Amino acid sequence: MLTALKSLFGRNRKDDADHSPFVRELRAIVGAQHVLTDPSRTLPFRRGFRFGLGKALAVVHPGSLVEQWRVVQACIKADKIVLMQAANTGITGGSTPDGNDYDRDIVIISGMRLKKIFVIGGGKQVICLPGATLDQLERTLAPLGREPHSVIGSSCIGAAVFGGVSNNSGGALVQRGPAFTQMSIFAQADAQGTLHLVNHLGVELGTGPEEILGALDRGQVPESRINWHAGKGHDDNYATHVRDVDADTPARYNADPARLFEGAGCAGRMALFAVRLDTFPAERNPSVFYIGTNNPDELEEIRRHILTSFSELPIAGEYIHRDAFDIAEEYGKDTFLIIRAIGTRRLPMLFALKNRIDRLTERVPFLPGNMSDRLLQAFSRLFPRHLPRRMYEYRDRFEHHLMLKVSAHLASEARTFLDGFCAKSGTRYFACTPDEGARAFLHRFAAAGAAIRYRSTHHRTVEDIVALDVALRRNDRQWSETLPSDLDRRLIVKLYYGHFLCHVMHQDYIVRKGNPCPPIEAEMLALLDRRGARYPAEHNYGHLYAAPPSLQAHYRELDPCNCFNPGIGKTTKRRNWKAESVA
């Protein structure tokens, strides 16, 4: 017990698991305290937020871009696999090892010490380094009356800007589409294993890699050296694209070739050092309408009218099913309360504390697993109901819930439409107060982690979670899923929520104990294939989905030696893309 306590609370303790020349080289580059090899200390970086777990030789925390370059150089020279990791909040295991069947040692390079953000063009654009978080970016831009691509959703759990760009994360804001940029600095290894730094940031920073990265480390980005026509900083065609409700293709999905460009959608197949992104004018005094119905067809009619007839697009349109409402209300309550109390800025610190508690309790034989989840769940039960009364009333009356957020000058148009629509249908709505609107959206985003909590606290009855991230066709009127009875009886509960106006749905299936998940997932995906849906929609392939041939070709072009994050999209984990079946 004493040993476990020392391991839990000790800081900067020297790891003794590996004293190889390679690990000593890493320590010489970044400092011994920033290279972890003890498995108990590397676990939070080796285990995904939802899925993924495997061995790693070391976890390295560079303190500058030059240090990151030198670490990547050392790894490639020593024939190590490089996993670039930001906040590790992804849900498909895409930034952690997946099992222990790799043919080389893995080094995880965490960028979370590199949190700098440089505001350029009076706040119209930003340059972000690897550890910059969405919450940090939002706070940086707020005094300028600007906001980033995503301001709700992933920002609630401390996600990093790089994660969104690398994974084509879509976010909830309808006008902006997936996170996208054509401007970045990155390193690639060629087929011979030689590392190259590429500066497509559109900023003159020097010539050699260390000169370029050193200048950026120091924030030397004078506007006289910026090319304002270097490329796109967001998907500026998405607002038109999403309005085409009769198109037979999804609005957005991860394998869309139109939204794959170098670092954008790279899925860790290169080492990103900086990205340059557009920002947007902040909406002032938006209105939120809470809509309830028992008829999914009516919700689809609302979607189609909004996208084709409104004078401008809403800010967001978020859907949640009654069952997901209930699970989030009980198992996402602590997340809701913590964010309401302290915001998102301190969430990474709380996640780190949670991981430490789990590391300690996992070493004590008589304590149950997932102790931190159990404690947080017990903590949440001490508090009264946390949602507005009118939301609970709609939960009792309606199966389907839509939260529509619009700008102040679109509010009257939205209200007029909803009044007319509700007068001739079974749908109803209420206009939220600012507090009700904030609580409604936070509740919707607490649903994303609620399934994980349910699994942790019901391990005796839950086999696991099948989590799907689905892009429906824009013209698909039958968006609400009905599963075959044989499949449905193997599930405890189905959680449906998502970005409804974009037809992007998150579908979490909590599987009953004794039912293997892979066959269930295969059946689910076959059903989606028959519907013409694409998956994943915005969380990238990770180790859960098989990448189609076109995307595999894209990965091979980015990473011909298969040195960066091999195995993503269920591709081969072996050097130089050698087939797994080849001896």
Side-chain angles (χ1 to χ4, degrees), residues 253-472:
Y253 58 99
N254 280 135
D256 186 350
R259 296 177 177 88
L260 298 174
F261 188 89
E262 296 178 344
C266 70
R269 289 291 188 171
M270 57 171 61
L272 271 176
F273 289 82
V275 296
R276 179 174 158 191
L277 300 164
D278 291 338
T279 71
F280 305 86
E283 294 286 353
R284 302 300 181 191
N285 303 312
S287 294
V288 174
F289 300 99
Y290 198 97
I291 302 164
T293 184
N294 289 312
N295 186 344
D297 294 339
E298 292 182 355
L299 215 54
E300 180 62 21
E301 289 302 317
I302 290 174
R303 171 185 168 269
R304 295 178 67 87
H305 179 89
I306 288 172
L307 292 178
T308 58
S309 301
F310 272 25
S311 58
E312 66 176 50
L313 287 175
I315 299 168
E318 290 299 299
Y319 169 79
I320 188 168
H321 185 271
R322 176 191 281 155
D323 291 342
F325 183 111
D326 290 345
I327 294 294
E329 196 271 342
E330 182 173 357
Y331 296 95
K333 185 176 182 179
D334 60 295
T335 299
F336 181 103
L337 294 174
I338 290 170
I339 292 174
R340 290 280 295 185
I342 66 173
T344 58
R345 184 177 184 179
R346 294 181 176 84
L347 281 184
M349 177 188 69
L350 293 178
F351 276 122
L353 178 60
K354 181 179 183 296
N355 284 327
R356 287 189 174 192
I357 292 173
D358 285 337
R359 292 207 317 266
L360 171 63
T361 56
E362 285 171 1
R363 298 182 178 191
V364 181
F366 59 84
L367 291 178
N370 304 303
M371 179 56 70
S372 64
D373 283 305
R374 294 170 181 273
L375 292 173
L376 286 168
Q377 192 60 33
F379 161 81
S380 69
R381 293 194 179 103
L382 300 177
F383 291 83
R385 280 185 155 190
H386 57 289
L387 299 177
R389 174 184 54 81
R390 291 197 288 184
M391 284 180 62
Y392 285 115
E393 291 174 353
Y394 267 49
R395 180 264 167 226
D396 292 339
R397 294 173 59 188
F398 301 113
E399 182 179 0
H400 306 283
H401 300 237
L402 177 66
M403 289 142 275
L404 185 67
K405 180 181 285 189
V406 301
S407 64
H409 54 273
L410 188 61
S412 177
E413 182 180 348
R415 188 187 297 270
T416 299
F417 163 68
L418 289 172
D419 284 341
F421 188 87
C422 292
K424 59 183 181 182
S425 70
T427 297
R428 295 293 180 265
Y429 85 95
F430 65 86
C432 295
T433 66
D435 181 66
E436 285 176 325
R439 288 175 182 265
F441 272 88
L442 182 52
H443 176 63
R444 151 64 187 89
F445 290 106
I452 303 172
R453 173 64 54 75
Y454 188 98
R455 176 182 64 183
S456 298
T457 54
H458 294 80
H459 63 280
R460 290 187 177 88
T461 57
V462 173
E463 182 71 20
D464 208 339
I465 301 169
V466 172
L468 302 182
D469 172 29
V470 180
L472 303 176

Side-chain angles (χ1 to χ4, degrees), residues 17-27 37 57 80 105:
D18 193 301
H19 293 289
S20 70
F22 172 69
V23 171
R24 290 199 297 270
E25 181 181 3
L26 297 180
R27 288 173 173 156
T37 58
L57 176 65
K80 308 299 183 185
D105 292 327

Side-chain angles (χ1 to χ4, degrees), residues 446-495:
I452 303 172
R453 173 64 54 75
Y454 188 98
R455 176 182 64 183
S456 298
T457 54
H458 294 80
H459 63 280
R460 290 187 177 88
T461 57
V462 173
E463 182 71 20
D464 208 339
I465 301 169
V466 172
L468 302 182
D469 172 29
V470 180
L472 303 176
R473 292 175 291 118
R474 282 171 282 172
N475 66 351
D476 190 352
R477 291 177 178 267
Q478 305 301 316
W479 62 273
S480 182
E481 181 178 71
T482 301
L483 294 175
S485 58
D486 177 65
L487 187 53
D488 193 65
R489 66 179 176 78
R490 286 177 271 170
L491 309 175
I492 296 173
V493 67
K494 307 179 292 290
L495 308 182

Side-chain angles (χ1 to χ4, degrees), residues 59-130:
V59 175
V60 187
H61 298 267
S64 69
L65 295 178
V66 172
E67 286 186 1
Q68 178 169 300
W69 166 255
R70 292 173 180 172
V71 169
V72 175
Q73 272 190 315
C75 291
I76 298 300
K77 183 179 178 181
D79 194 26
K80 308 299 183 185
I81 288 171
V82 175
L83 263 61
M84 304 300 299
Q85 187 179 94
N88 193 18
T89 59
I91 65 172
T92 59
S95 59
T96 58
D98 179 57
N100 300 313
D101 56 343
Y102 296 83
D103 61 348
R104 291 150 289 168
D105 292 327
I106 295 173
V107 175
I108 298 172
I109 302 177
S110 170
M112 295 309 291
R113 291 178 66 205
L114 307 175
K115 292 183 173 293
K116 293 178 182 177
I117 296 173
F118 304 113
V119 177
I120 60 176
K124 292 184 179 179
Q125 289 188 334
V126 291
I127 296 172
C128 296
L129 301 195

Side-chain angles (χ1 to χ4, degrees), residues 536-553:
E538 62 176 10
H539 289 154
N540 223 302
Y541 285 76
H543 293 284
L544 294 184
Y545 301 92
S550 61
L551 188 59
Q552 291 187 36

